[in-house]
Amino acid sequence: MADKPRNGKVTVVGAGFYGSTTALRLAEYDIFETVVLTDIVEGKPEGLALDMNQSRPIEGFETRVVGIGGGSYEGTENSDVVVITAGLPRKPGMSRMDLIETNAKIVREVAEKVAAASPDAVLIVVSNPLDEMTALAQLASQFPKHRVMGQAGMLDTARFTNFVAEEAGVPISSVRTLTLGSHGDTMVPVPSRCTVDGKPLTEVLAADRIEHLVDRTRNGGAEVVALLKTGSAYFAPSAAAARMARAVMEDSGAVMPVCAWVDGEYGINGVYLGVEAEIGREGVRTVVEGDLSESELAGLRDAAEAVRAKQADIADL
Ligand SMILES: NC(=O)c1ccc[n+]([C@@H]2O[C@H](COP(=O)([O-])OP(=O)(O)OC[C@H]3O[C@@H](n4cnc5c(N)ncnc54)[C@H](O)[C@@H]3O)[C@@H](O)[C@H]2O)c1
């Protein structure tokens, strides 16, 4: 509908697989005035934007996509939300941590430039390793911590939900799952918060099947990477980042699992970690402390210490 109100500007930095699919999803929501897609490569974001705009008559959306190449930030000024996807993806056999040095240089530079061009933006970081790059983006941007968050939990939770629905043979919509912790080995699936048609997951699936699905979720990214051979997942990841950007723009107050600054919740202090948070115009409104079993809480605290150790070194990268 041409007369529907559209507000704001969202910039997606990095026009690779993750960035371009995120930009298209954001444009297709048809709620933004402008979606800006940028990259260091000249021509790539411009070409992708042109292509996306030409899909508007078919898909019926009015949001304009603007492509900016050559590493320029001219045209991104005063964005409301900036999604940082710039950085290398994994190759088969690589862990997310193998990307840290290369991606730290990229994310630091991008966050500094974004902060200069859009000083009031909310940053959503997706570059890997996720928890460390989110912490680094906050450091480099000097933004308040609630205005910098990372995307991982939405994706990990969606993967878990998909696996449970397939295993139980039920529609996706009847399954609720939750994963917290870090985006990696110390991901913390939360079976006590998982249900199928309102019933506890433990009443629907056998314990060894749940354990198998938890493992598959934890390795969900690597499973896709191994099949693709080059590059990593982007359809489900872009859906997650786009929903977070939308929740910010609409000031929706939606509670989502995201990588947020935790300081006191669950007895954990001063670390970026995957938790549930209420998302609004200011970024993270509040970290939501849900009920966890003793072992889940212990897992979350272990994850916090594991990522804290790695985040402590990011200032030197
Ligand atoms: N958080 C998650 O859940 C999750 C999921 C999947 C992928 N990822 C990560 O997202 C990142 C992007 O993945 P992808 O599949 O789009 O990779 P890709 O290689 O397709 O795209 C990366 C893009 O970043 C651009 N780039 C590099 N340096 C830049 C800079 N300084 N400024 C602007 N652009 C720059 C590259 O030119 C390239 O177009 C990777 O780090 C990947 O590991 C995260």
Side-chain angles (χ1 to χ4, degrees):
M1 264 178 22
D3 55 352
K4 174 175 140 179
R6 285 172 202 82
N7 297 308
K9 185 194 284 191
V10 52
T11 289
V12 180
V13 182
F17 287 111
Y18 199 146
S20 56
T21 43
T22 302
L24 183 60
R25 287 185 191 282
L26 289 166
E28 286 183 345
Y29 288 154
D30 205 17
I31 60 166
F32 298 101
E33 189 71 39
T34 315
V35 173
V36 182
L37 180 63
T38 76
D39 205 285
I40 35 164
V41 176
E42 194 122 21
K44 187 178 180 183
E46 291 91 335
L48 289 167
L50 187 60
D51 191 13
M52 287 181 206
N53 284 329
Q54 289 167 359
S55 75
R56 294 189 301 167
I58 304 167
E59 286 300 324
F61 63 94
E62 297 287 336
T63 297
R64 272 197 72 239
V65 185
V66 177
I68 301 172
S72 171
Y73 285 76
E74 218 170 292
T76 70
E77 296 91 342
N78 300 318
S79 294
D80 299 286
V81 186
V82 178
V83 184
I84 299 180
T85 79
L88 301 190
R90 286 192 278 174
K91 296 197 173 78
M94 277 176 106
S95 83
R96 294 184 179 93
M97 284 309 284
D98 292 335
L99 300 168
I100 194 162
E101 289 202 8
T102 313
N103 283 356
K105 287 194 184 67
I106 294 172
V107 169
R108 179 186 287 281
E109 188 202 326
V110 167
E112 285 170 358
K113 291 187 172 161
V114 163
S118 300
D120 299 320
V122 171
L123 298 190
I124 298 172
V125 180
V126 313
S127 313
N128 273 318
L130 191 273
D131 308 275
E132 290 75 12
M133 292 306 106
T134 305
L136 178 59
Q138 189 280 322
L139 200 76
S141 65
Q142 289 293 301
F143 280 5
K145 294 189 170 78
H146 65 86
R147 272 208 279 130
V148 182
M149 57 183 154
Q151 185 300 114
M154 285 275 285
L155 170 63
D156 295 333
T157 299
R159 285 179 170 153
F160 195 16
T161 300
N162 177 59
F163 291 147
V164 169
E166 284 183 351
E167 177 85 16
V170 297
I172 292 286
S173 59
S174 55
V175 180
R176 300 271 175 280
T177 71
L178 180 63
T179 67
L180 303 175
S182 80
H183 190 46
D185 296 341
T186 42
M187 179 192 302
V188 184
V190 187
S192 73
R193 295 276 304 279
C194 300
T195 57
V196 176
D197 282 325
K199 281 195 219 124
L201 183 58
T202 45
E203 287 179 18
V204 180
L205 295 177
D208 62 329
R209 293 313 297 163
I210 297 176
E211 198 43 49
H212 167 70
L213 300 184
V214 162
D215 267 359
R216 199 169 170 202
T217 302
R218 193 172 279 127
N219 298 309
E223 186 178 351
V224 176
V225 169
L227 288 165
L228 293 180
K229 311 271 187 321
T230 121
S232 58
Y234 49 94
F235 287 118
S238 62
R243 282 289 156 176
M244 288 169 66
R246 183 175 184 156
V248 172
M249 217 40 228
E250 292 184 328
D251 196 23
S252 75
V255 174
M256 300 174 161
V258 302
C259 176
W261 182 251
V262 177
D263 205 14
E265 295 84 2
Y266 298 109
I268 296 168
N269 291 306
V271 68
Y272 268 102
L273 186 67
V275 285
E276 286 182 289
E278 191 180 308
I279 308 300
R281 196 60 196 82
E282 66 271 50
V284 171
R285 281 188 193 163
T286 173
V287 170
V288 178
E289 264 184 282
D291 286 336
L292 300 182
S293 72
E294 253 175 57
S295 66
E296 291 160 354
L297 183 58
L300 188 61
R301 289 185 176 145
D302 286 350
E305 292 323 307
V307 293
R308 186 196 308 286
K310 289 174 197 147
Q311 285 175 22
D313 299 331
I314 53 153
D316 304 324
L317 290 170

